[in-house]
Amino acid sequence: MTAYDAPHGSPEVIDRREGPYGEVVLRRHGELLQIIANGCFLMDTSDGRSERLLVDAALGALDGRPEPEILIGGLGVGFSLAHAAADPRWGRIAVAERERAIIDWHRSGPLSELSAPALADPRTEIIEVDLVAHVNETSDTYDVLCLDIDNGPEWTVTEGNESLYSQAGLAACARVLRDGGVLAVWSAKPSPDFARTLRNAGFQQVRTEEIPVARGVPDVVHLAVRPG
């Protein structure tokens, strides 16, 4: 089955949890694993190209500093984490994930098929926290912040996430980045308005990279550098 073949039959619910942010469901549909939040499809294991580009583009935008430390916002199905852990150039690899269910599915459930080697890597740290709160409250700093916690700045499905894409939210993201650090933001579609918001928040070298998809508009990674 190719990455874009549609699975046949009805999805099988593997686990269903009610958490502090609502219902989270893990389903199997053919060969794919799918995460559903409050009845809305979030992601599946069909591809992962855009998640890998998110990590690679952020590293490429850095200034060549040794063993940069990365914070990934959102564990999801684990593509970004697995890809970062497969690259020996990274130093500390931290992942902020607010859903205990998703963390459990990676540590001891079906998603461990994707993430077990990455979770066993001593560079990896899973932080159970809402990323919105984390960038406002933590004293930790990073060389790279990769955001993949929703569908993007113009199409959020999780209440509260939209604040992260505002000028104030981006200022909080800049707060956890070291001088010259890179912010990489995944989006389900291009957003010229968001690029302007990045610049208004003080970021420099703002640009986008597109990832073609089988149908519709391309996925996008927005890249920006914290001055310093």
Side-chain angles (χ1 to χ4, degrees), residues 132-146:
V132 177
H134 189 59
V135 296
N136 281 284
E137 299 169 3
T138 185
S139 59
D140 289 348
T141 58
Y142 305 87
D143 301 291
V144 166
L145 171 56
C146 288

Side-chain angles (χ1 to χ4, degrees), residues 48-169:
R49 284 180 299 164
S50 59
E51 290 88 344
R52 290 188 284 271
L53 176 62
L54 179 70
V55 173
D56 287 343
L59 183 60
L62 268 180
D63 50 15
R65 65 190 68 180
E67 298 186 341
E69 299 185 357
I70 181 174
L71 172 62
I72 299 171
L75 180 54
V77 296
F79 283 132
S80 297
L81 169 60
H83 192 62
D87 191 331
R89 291 175 292 177
W90 289 109
R92 178 190 179 201
I93 303 169
V95 182
E97 174 55 60
R98 71 180 194 174
E99 295 287 354
R100 162 57 61 174
I102 292 178
I103 296 173
D104 288 346
W105 296 334
H106 280 278
R107 285 180 170 160
S108 57
L111 289 173
S112 64
E113 298 173 9
L114 282 170
S115 56
L119 291 177
D121 192 307
R123 298 172 297 166
T124 297
E125 176 187 7
I126 305 298
I127 309 168
E128 186 178 350
V129 68
D130 186 333
L131 182 70
V132 177
H134 189 59
V135 296
N136 281 284
E137 299 169 3
T138 185
S139 59
D140 289 348
T141 58
Y142 305 87
D143 301 291
V144 166
L145 171 56
C146 288
L147 297 185
D148 187 11
I149 64 169
D150 215 305
N151 284 329
E154 296 184 359
W155 183 20
T156 55
V157 298
T158 303
E159 185 177 354
N161 282 351
E162 66 274 6
S163 66
L164 197 60
Y165 303 104
S166 69
Q167 190 167 329

